Amino acid sequence: MSADGPAAVWEDQHVDDAVGRYRTASEANDIDALMATLAPDVELVSPLSGRLVFRGERDLRVLLGAVYGGMKGLRWRDEVGDGALRVVLGDGTIGPFKLADAMVIELDEDGRIRRIRPYLRPWLALTFLALALGLKLARHPGVILRAARRR
């Protein structure tokens, strides 16, 4: 039991569950399971352009399907944070390049993922990812147009 009482214990378990399920689902490229961890009003801030913000389950299904569908050997190695804010560190490959991610995850009051902010490196792998995503998302121009809208 936590010094903060039973509510704090439940909150941490609830939050860890959503983040853990996201990690497992993304490693397996299980988009349905991944989507179940997200809040309906989820947002993903593009690591390629801070101006693009992908919003909502429909657009994130397309985007995350393209991202995780192109990755190989994704493994989330570490998780830090507590409460409604987590950072997960992982790596995988995109094409011939190793890609590292430090992803900031913010949760809503129900413990679902509300905002995702990936920080990817190195530059060459990120460039390769941008080209691959551009080709995949070209079939869904509405996703890019909605992400470019300011709120």
Side-chain angles (χ1 to χ4, degrees):
M1 176 142 334
S2 167
D4 296 327
V9 170
W10 179 86
E11 179 184 10
D12 284 345
Q13 289 172 343
H14 190 65
V15 166
D16 287 339
D17 187 50
V19 175
R21 287 184 296 123
Y22 181 97
R23 291 170 59 172
T24 299
S26 59
E27 287 178 353
N29 189 28
D30 184 344
I31 299 304
D32 289 333
L34 188 149
M35 295 305 297
T37 68
L38 305 178
D41 60 345
V42 65
E43 297 180 341
L44 185 144
V45 179
S46 171
L48 304 173
S49 163
R51 299 183 86 106
L52 294 177
V53 180
F54 297 88
R55 296 178 177 92
E57 293 173 320
R58 184 178 75 191
D59 286 356
L60 260 67
R61 177 178 288 278
V62 171
L63 176 67
L64 295 174
V67 169
Y68 294 122
M71 299 254 342
K72 301 292 181 225
L74 174 63
R75 293 292 170 255
W76 296 108
R77 309 251 181 244
D78 298 300
E79 181 178 330
V80 295
D82 57 14
L85 187 63
R86 295 282 193 267
V87 176
V88 292
L89 306 172
D91 54 67
T93 58
I94 182 77
F97 304 105
K98 187 144 184 109
L99 181 68
D101 190 358
M103 189 162 59
V104 178
I105 298 175
E106 299 173 37
L107 300 129
D108 69 7
E109 59 279 351
D110 294 325
R112 293 176 298 177
I113 297 171
R114 164 75 177 91
R115 182 171 293 117
I116 303 169
R117 291 179 286 146
Y119 295 88
L120 305 171
R121 59 178 291 260
W123 174 83
L124 193 54
L126 183 58
T127 302
F128 188 90
L129 175 64
L131 293 171
L133 283 179
L135 293 172
K136 290 178 181 180
L137 293 180
R139 293 178 280 170
H140 306 277
V143 171
I144 298 294
L145 292 173
R146 285 187 294 276
R149 289 187 195 141
R150 294 194 179 236
R151 284 197 173 179

